Amino acid sequence: MTTIALACQEQLLPGTNLIQKYALATALGYQGIELRGRGDLAFARRLPELRRARAAGVVLPTVCVEMDHFIGDFDPTRSADAVRNLRSQLSVIAELGGVGVMTPAAWGMFSRRLPPFEPPRPPAGDRQVLLDTLGELGEHARAEGVTLFLEPLNRYEDHMVNRLDEAVALCAALALPSVRVVADTFHMNIEEDDPHRALRAAAPYLGHVQVSDSNRYQPGAGHLDWPALVRTLLELDYRGWLALECRLRGDPVRALQQAATVLRHALPRRPPR
Protein backbone atom coordinates (compact mmCIF):
# COMPACT_ATOMS: atom_id res chain seq x y z
CA MET A 1 0.00 0.00 0.00
CA THR A 2 1.34 3.40 -0.99
CA THR A 3 2.14 5.90 1.73
CA ILE A 4 3.99 9.24 1.78
CA ALA A 5 7.05 10.14 3.86
CA LEU A 6 6.97 13.18 6.17
CA ALA A 7 9.79 15.70 6.63
CA CYS A 8 10.11 18.63 9.01
CA GLN A 9 12.09 21.79 8.29
CA GLU A 10 15.17 22.03 10.46
CA GLN A 11 14.43 25.39 12.11
CA LEU A 12 11.21 24.03 13.61
CA LEU A 13 12.93 21.24 15.53
CA PRO A 14 14.45 21.89 18.98
CA GLY A 15 18.04 20.68 19.31
CA THR A 16 21.60 21.91 19.00
CA ASN A 17 22.53 19.89 15.90
CA LEU A 18 20.94 17.89 13.10
CA ILE A 19 21.56 14.57 14.84
CA GLN A 20 19.61 15.69 17.90
CA LYS A 21 16.89 17.24 15.74
CA TYR A 22 16.53 14.04 13.73
CA ALA A 23 16.20 11.92 16.86
CA LEU A 24 13.30 14.10 17.95
CA ALA A 25 11.79 14.19 14.46
CA THR A 26 11.73 10.40 14.13
CA ALA A 27 10.29 10.05 17.65
CA LEU A 28 7.45 12.36 16.60
CA GLY A 29 6.73 10.49 13.38
CA TYR A 30 8.81 12.22 10.70
CA GLN A 31 11.23 10.42 8.38
CA GLY A 32 13.46 13.28 7.23
CA ILE A 33 14.62 16.85 7.75
CA GLU A 34 14.15 19.53 5.11
CA LEU A 35 17.12 21.89 5.20
CA ARG A 36 17.22 25.66 4.68
CA GLY A 37 19.66 27.11 2.18
CA ARG A 38 20.90 30.62 2.97
CA GLY A 39 22.71 32.93 0.55
CA ASP A 40 26.36 33.90 0.22
CA LEU A 41 27.12 30.20 -0.37
CA ALA A 42 26.47 29.58 3.33
CA PHE A 43 24.89 26.22 2.58
CA ALA A 44 28.11 24.89 1.03
CA ARG A 45 30.02 26.02 4.11
CA ARG A 46 27.81 23.69 6.14
CA LEU A 47 29.13 20.64 4.30
CA PRO A 48 31.24 19.29 7.24
CA GLU A 49 28.18 19.46 9.51
CA LEU A 50 25.92 17.95 6.85
CA ARG A 51 28.35 15.12 6.11
CA ARG A 52 28.50 14.22 9.80
CA ALA A 53 24.71 14.17 10.00
CA ARG A 54 24.44 12.06 6.88
CA ALA A 55 27.06 9.61 8.21
CA ALA A 56 25.01 9.32 11.41
CA GLY A 57 21.95 8.28 9.41
CA VAL A 58 20.08 11.58 9.23
CA VAL A 59 17.83 11.65 6.17
CA LEU A 60 18.14 14.98 4.35
CA PRO A 61 15.96 14.89 1.23
CA THR A 62 15.47 18.53 0.28
CA VAL A 63 16.57 22.15 0.65
CA CYS A 64 14.29 25.19 0.83
CA VAL A 65 16.14 28.33 -0.25
CA GLU A 66 16.27 31.12 2.34
CA MET A 67 17.57 34.32 0.77
CA ASP A 68 16.43 37.90 0.23
CA HIS A 69 16.66 37.73 -3.56
CA PHE A 70 15.71 35.07 -6.07
CA ILE A 71 15.99 34.01 -9.69
CA GLY A 72 13.29 36.40 -10.93
CA ASP A 73 14.83 39.52 -9.40
CA PHE A 74 14.51 42.71 -11.42
CA ASP A 75 18.24 43.32 -10.88
CA PRO A 76 20.24 40.97 -13.18
CA THR A 77 23.13 40.91 -10.70
CA ARG A 78 20.88 39.71 -7.88
CA SER A 79 19.22 37.17 -10.16
CA ALA A 80 22.63 35.82 -11.18
CA ASP A 81 23.66 35.56 -7.54
CA ALA A 82 20.51 33.57 -6.76
CA VAL A 83 21.41 31.20 -9.60
CA ARG A 84 24.96 30.87 -8.23
CA ASN A 85 23.65 29.94 -4.80
CA LEU A 86 21.11 27.48 -6.15
CA ARG A 87 23.73 25.77 -8.31
CA SER A 88 25.83 25.31 -5.18
CA GLN A 89 22.88 24.04 -3.15
CA LEU A 90 21.97 21.54 -5.87
CA SER A 91 25.53 20.18 -5.83
CA VAL A 92 25.54 19.90 -2.04
CA ILE A 93 22.22 18.09 -1.79
CA ALA A 94 23.36 15.75 -4.56
CA GLU A 95 26.46 14.85 -2.53
CA LEU A 96 24.21 14.13 0.46
CA GLY A 97 22.08 11.74 -1.57
CA GLY A 98 19.07 14.05 -1.45
CA VAL A 99 16.29 14.78 -3.91
CA GLY A 100 16.55 18.46 -4.74
CA VAL A 101 16.24 22.16 -3.98
CA MET A 102 13.22 24.43 -4.18
CA THR A 103 12.89 28.11 -4.98
CA PRO A 104 10.14 30.61 -5.74
CA ALA A 105 10.43 32.97 -8.70
CA ALA A 106 10.74 35.79 -6.14
CA TRP A 107 9.55 36.61 -2.66
CA GLY A 108 8.56 40.01 -1.31
CA MET A 109 9.90 41.80 -4.37
CA PHE A 110 6.62 42.98 -5.94
CA SER A 111 2.87 42.38 -5.80
CA ARG A 112 0.25 43.53 -8.29
CA ARG A 113 -2.17 43.65 -5.34
CA LEU A 114 -0.23 46.44 -3.60
CA PRO A 115 0.86 49.91 -4.79
CA PRO A 116 2.26 50.79 -7.28
CA PHE A 117 0.43 47.78 -8.86
CA GLU A 118 2.42 47.74 -12.13
CA PRO A 119 5.88 46.11 -12.03
CA PRO A 120 8.88 47.66 -13.81
CA ARG A 121 9.25 44.63 -16.10
CA PRO A 122 6.52 43.40 -18.48
CA PRO A 123 5.15 39.83 -18.26
CA ALA A 124 7.14 38.73 -21.31
CA GLY A 125 10.31 39.89 -19.59
CA ASP A 126 9.38 38.03 -16.41
CA ARG A 127 8.81 34.85 -18.37
CA GLN A 128 12.09 35.10 -20.26
CA VAL A 129 14.11 35.66 -17.08
CA LEU A 130 12.48 32.65 -15.46
CA LEU A 131 12.98 30.43 -18.50
CA ASP A 132 16.63 31.43 -18.72
CA THR A 133 17.42 30.90 -15.04
CA LEU A 134 15.34 27.75 -14.65
CA GLY A 135 16.90 26.35 -17.80
CA GLU A 136 20.43 26.88 -16.52
CA LEU A 137 19.58 25.45 -13.12
CA GLY A 138 17.66 22.56 -14.62
CA GLU A 139 20.65 21.53 -16.72
CA HIS A 140 22.87 21.71 -13.64
CA ALA A 141 20.38 19.69 -11.61
CA ARG A 142 20.21 17.06 -14.34
CA ALA A 143 24.00 16.78 -14.38
CA GLU A 144 24.01 16.34 -10.60
CA GLY A 145 21.18 13.80 -10.63
CA VAL A 146 18.79 15.92 -8.54
CA THR A 147 15.76 18.16 -9.16
CA LEU A 148 15.04 21.88 -9.02
CA PHE A 149 11.54 22.56 -7.68
CA LEU A 150 9.69 25.79 -8.57
CA GLU A 151 7.27 26.98 -5.88
CA PRO A 152 4.27 29.21 -6.65
CA LEU A 153 3.64 31.83 -3.95
CA ASN A 154 0.46 33.76 -3.22
CA ARG A 155 -0.35 37.05 -4.94
CA TYR A 156 0.86 39.18 -2.01
CA GLU A 157 4.34 37.63 -1.98
CA ASP A 158 5.08 37.37 -5.70
CA HIS A 159 3.60 38.62 -8.96
CA MET A 160 5.04 36.08 -11.40
CA VAL A 161 4.12 32.53 -10.36
CA ASN A 162 1.09 32.22 -8.07
CA ARG A 163 -0.67 29.03 -9.16
CA LEU A 164 0.39 25.49 -9.95
CA ASP A 165 -0.65 25.81 -13.59
CA GLU A 166 1.66 28.81 -14.02
CA ALA A 167 4.60 26.80 -12.68
CA VAL A 168 3.60 23.84 -14.84
CA ALA A 169 3.57 26.04 -17.96
CA LEU A 170 7.20 27.04 -17.32
CA CYS A 171 8.21 23.42 -16.72
CA ALA A 172 6.46 22.33 -19.90
CA ALA A 173 8.20 25.04 -21.92
CA LEU A 174 11.58 23.93 -20.58
CA ALA A 175 10.90 20.21 -21.15
CA LEU A 176 13.55 19.29 -18.57
CA PRO A 177 12.68 16.36 -16.28
CA SER A 178 14.97 17.92 -13.67
CA VAL A 179 12.63 20.93 -13.18
CA ARG A 180 9.42 20.19 -11.29
CA VAL A 181 6.73 21.97 -9.27
CA VAL A 182 6.27 22.44 -5.51
CA ALA A 183 2.72 22.51 -4.16
CA ASP A 184 2.47 24.51 -0.92
CA THR A 185 -0.88 24.07 0.81
CA PHE A 186 -0.85 27.55 2.36
CA HIS A 187 -0.38 29.32 -0.97
CA MET A 188 -2.82 26.95 -2.70
CA ASN A 189 -5.48 27.79 -0.11
CA ILE A 190 -5.25 31.41 -1.28
CA GLU A 191 -4.72 31.01 -5.01
CA GLU A 192 -6.37 27.83 -6.27
CA ASP A 193 -10.12 27.78 -7.01
CA ASP A 194 -10.07 24.03 -6.39
CA PRO A 195 -6.83 22.69 -4.83
CA HIS A 196 -7.69 19.08 -5.68
CA ARG A 197 -8.34 19.86 -9.33
CA ALA A 198 -5.13 21.92 -9.42
CA LEU A 199 -3.12 19.02 -8.00
CA ARG A 200 -4.60 16.61 -10.53
CA ALA A 201 -3.80 18.94 -13.42
CA ALA A 202 -0.24 19.44 -12.17
CA ALA A 203 0.35 15.75 -11.41
CA PRO A 204 2.84 15.02 -14.24
CA TYR A 205 5.07 17.85 -12.97
CA LEU A 206 4.44 17.59 -9.23
CA GLY A 207 7.71 16.84 -7.44
CA HIS A 208 7.36 18.11 -3.88
CA VAL A 209 4.66 19.18 -1.41
CA GLN A 210 5.07 21.57 1.53
CA VAL A 211 2.38 21.62 4.19
CA SER A 212 0.97 24.16 6.60
CA ASP A 213 -2.60 24.90 7.53
CA SER A 214 -4.81 27.72 6.23
CA ASN A 215 -3.39 30.17 8.80
CA ARG A 216 0.27 29.19 8.16
CA TYR A 217 0.41 27.29 11.45
CA GLN A 218 0.90 23.54 11.77
CA PRO A 219 -1.60 21.13 10.21
CA GLY A 220 -4.53 20.81 12.57
CA ALA A 221 -4.43 24.47 13.66
CA GLY A 222 -6.54 25.74 10.76
CA HIS A 223 -9.41 24.64 8.53
CA LEU A 224 -7.79 22.62 5.72
CA ASP A 225 -9.22 19.15 5.07
CA TRP A 226 -6.09 17.02 5.43
CA PRO A 227 -7.67 13.62 4.74
CA ALA A 228 -9.07 14.96 1.47
CA LEU A 229 -5.76 16.53 0.42
CA VAL A 230 -3.76 13.42 1.24
CA ARG A 231 -6.35 11.23 -0.49
CA THR A 232 -5.92 13.29 -3.67
CA LEU A 233 -2.13 12.87 -3.55
CA LEU A 234 -2.50 9.12 -3.05
CA GLU A 235 -4.91 8.90 -5.97
CA LEU A 236 -2.26 10.64 -8.08
CA ASP A 237 0.33 8.08 -6.92
CA TYR A 238 2.44 10.93 -5.57
CA ARG A 239 5.86 9.54 -4.56
CA GLY A 240 7.52 12.63 -3.09
CA TRP A 241 7.68 14.04 0.43
CA LEU A 242 5.29 16.03 2.58
CA ALA A 243 7.53 18.64 4.21
CA LEU A 244 6.31 20.70 7.14
CA GLU A 245 6.91 24.42 6.48
CA CYS A 246 4.90 26.51 8.88
CA ARG A 247 4.83 28.54 12.05
CA LEU A 248 4.21 26.67 15.28
CA ARG A 249 1.37 27.59 17.61
CA GLY A 250 1.88 26.53 21.20
CA ASP A 251 4.65 24.39 22.64
CA PRO A 252 6.96 23.48 19.70
CA VAL A 253 7.19 19.76 20.44
CA ARG A 254 3.44 19.45 20.96
CA ALA A 255 2.78 21.44 17.79
CA LEU A 256 5.10 19.21 15.77
CA GLN A 257 3.46 16.14 17.26
CA GLN A 258 0.03 17.52 16.38
CA ALA A 259 1.09 18.06 12.77
CA ALA A 260 2.56 14.57 12.45
CA THR A 261 -0.55 13.03 14.01
CA VAL A 262 -2.91 14.91 11.71
CA LEU A 263 -0.94 13.93 8.61
CA ARG A 264 -0.39 10.34 9.71
CA HIS A 265 -4.10 9.86 10.43
CA ALA A 266 -4.78 11.03 6.89
CA LEU A 267 -2.35 8.48 5.43
CA PRO A 268 -3.25 4.82 4.92
CA ARG A 269 -1.93 2.24 7.32
CA ARG A 270 0.27 -0.47 5.92
CA PRO A 271 -1.53 -3.82 6.22
CA PRO A 272 0.04 -6.29 8.69
CA ARG A 273 2.05 -9.13 7.21
Side-chain angles (χ1 to χ4, degrees):
M1 182 178 294
T2 301
T3 190
I4 304 173
L6 304 182
C8 181
Q9 287 198 347
E10 61 176 315
Q11 78 281 2
L12 302 176
L13 290 159
T16 59
N17 58 56
L18 287 171
I19 296 171
Q20 289 183 6
K21 289 172 181 281
Y22 186 64
L24 174 61
T26 54
L28 295 176
Y30 300 89
Q31 290 79 49
I33 293 180
E34 181 162 279
L35 298 164
R36 302 281 288 196
R38 294 182 178 176
D40 296 323
L41 302 180
F43 192 65
R45 293 196 294 274
R46 293 182 63 187
L47 256 175
E49 168 206 1
L50 299 173
R51 288 169 178 153
R52 285 193 299 271
R54 179 65 175 155
V58 180
V59 179
L60 305 167
T62 47
V63 183
C64 181
V65 66
E66 183 181 2
M67 299 191 299
D68 65 357
H69 56 281
F70 297 88
I71 59 173
D73 202 285
F74 296 137
D75 183 339
T77 301
R78 286 163 63 86
S79 174
D81 184 70
V83 170
R84 180 176 71 110
N85 275 276
L86 284 166
R87 285 177 64 97
S88 174
Q89 292 174 19
L90 287 162
S91 295
V92 171
I93 201 66
E95 178 180 330
L96 299 173
V99 177
V101 180
M102 67 211 68
T103 183
W107 175 79
M109 183 178 73
F110 195 90
S111 170
R112 289 183 180 274
R113 302 294 175 170
L114 299 169
F117 299 114
E118 286 300 321
R121 186 173 61 201
D126 287 343
R127 185 175 187 275
Q128 192 58 56
V129 167
L130 294 179
L131 288 175
D132 290 345
T133 54
L134 291 169
E136 177 182 343
L137 290 165
E139 292 291 357
H140 183 70
R142 179 163 61 177
E144 292 283 14
V146 291
T147 303
L148 177 73
F149 301 110
L150 176 63
E151 180 181 3
L153 303 184
N154 69 73
R155 68 195 74 174
Y156 305 106
E157 298 181 28
D158 180 39
H159 73 287
M160 288 178 279
V161 183
N162 304 131
R163 300 187 313 273
L164 294 186
D165 65 326
E166 294 171 334
V168 164
L170 290 165
C171 291
L174 289 167
L176 287 170
S178 53
V179 182
R180 287 295 177 259
V181 174
V182 182
D184 183 303
T185 58
F186 171 73
H187 299 297
M188 291 177 66
N189 181 59
I190 297 171
E191 293 297 336
E192 303 293 352
D193 294 342
D194 182 337
H196 305 280
R197 185 173 63 196
L199 285 169
R200 293 187 186 100
Y205 296 92
L206 184 63
H208 191 63
V209 177
Q210 290 184 321
V211 293
S212 63
D213 220 313
S214 55
N215 51 13
R216 205 37 156 171
Y217 287 104
Q218 69 269 15
H223 61 66
L224 293 186
D225 186 340
W226 293 103
L229 280 166
V230 170
R231 186 164 56 248
T232 295
L233 292 172
L234 292 169
E235 289 170 357
L236 298 175
D237 197 26
Y238 172 69
R239 301 295 181 90
W241 288 77
L242 292 182
L244 190 67
E245 182 191 38
C246 63
R247 301 182 182 95
L248 299 179
R249 174 178 285 170
D251 174 76
V253 173
R254 290 184 180 178
L256 293 171
Q257 187 171 42
Q258 178 190 26
T261 299
V262 167
L263 295 169
R264 279 284 161 223
H265 282 175
L267 290 165
R269 302 295 188 270
R270 291 186 181 277
R273 293 187 179 182

